[in-house]
């Protein structure tokens, strides 16, 4: 869908994640997984940026075009919404450990677009939503195995 055709109603719920990596070298290993999710219609990547923190605490924001993995990630990013401000990225970078880096990723939960629209059209609103932490899922799976 061209950027001009987007409306607030046509976009599903949007999430942001900061994925930290030890060391200051990015690789493209997560790009194929993102591409699969996008091609299947589960998500639509809206914005992504890389941040890095050096040993001395120096922080840098690496735009996709300047990254060594630009080719892998360019195939993931379509219409860029530019949802991440310089202040957002600075906050992320300051929270990184020295000699680490992060992928800051914003995606639309495309799978939920129709549901979100139906909720709005019904004058409904989401009162609470939270992701279940990974360790909670692992405990639940382990408990199922014990039955």
């Amino acid at each position: 869908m061209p950027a001009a055709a987007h409306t607030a109603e046509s976009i599903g719920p949007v999430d942001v994640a900061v994925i930290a990596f030890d060391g200051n070298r990015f690789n493209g290993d997560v790009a194929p997984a993102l591409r699969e999710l996008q091609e299947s219609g589960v998500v639509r990547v809206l914005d992504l940026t890389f941040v890095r923190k050096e040993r001395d605490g120096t922080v840098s924001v690496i735009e996709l075009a300047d990254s060594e993995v630009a080719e892998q990630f360019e195939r993931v990013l379509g219409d860029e919404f530019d949802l991440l401000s310089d202040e957002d990225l600075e906050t992320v970078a300051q929270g990184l450990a020295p000699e680490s880096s992060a992928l800051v990723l914003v995606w639309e939960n495309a799978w939920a677009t129709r549901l979100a629209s139906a909720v709005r059209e019904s004058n409904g609103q989401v009162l609470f939503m939270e992701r279940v932490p990974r360790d909670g899922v692992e405990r639940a799976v382990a408990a199922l195995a014990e039955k």
Side-chain angles (χ1 to χ4, degrees), residues 44-124:
R44 181 166 52 123
V45 177
L46 302 177
D47 201 353
L48 63 88
T49 304
F50 301 97
V51 294
R52 177 181 354 220
K53 190 171 195 177
E54 304 296 340
R55 178 181 298 205
D56 67 1
T58 304
V59 168
S60 57
V61 174
I62 303 148
E63 294 299 328
L64 181 60
D66 299 332
S67 170
E68 304 99 35
V69 294
E71 184 179 325
Q72 292 98 320
F73 283 96
E74 281 176 348
R75 289 180 273 165
V76 172
L77 192 58
D79 293 332
E80 191 168 358
F81 279 59
D82 202 27
L83 293 169
L84 299 168
S85 71
D86 291 342
E87 294 79 23
D88 294 332
L89 297 172
E90 182 67 26
T91 299
V92 167
Q94 292 301 330
L96 291 174
E99 294 191 45
S100 65
S101 53
L103 167 63
V104 185
L105 178 66
V106 181
W107 71 88
E108 172 193 12
N109 290 291
W111 63 268
T113 302
R114 173 68 183 105
L115 175 61
S117 177
V119 168
R120 284 189 302 273
E121 290 168 5
S122 300
N123 294 319

Side-chain angles (χ1 to χ4, degrees), residues 28-43:
D29 291 353
V30 299
L34 284 173
R35 198 167 38 256
E36 285 175 27
L37 288 170
Q38 189 152 279
E39 288 172 354
S40 70
V42 173
V43 302

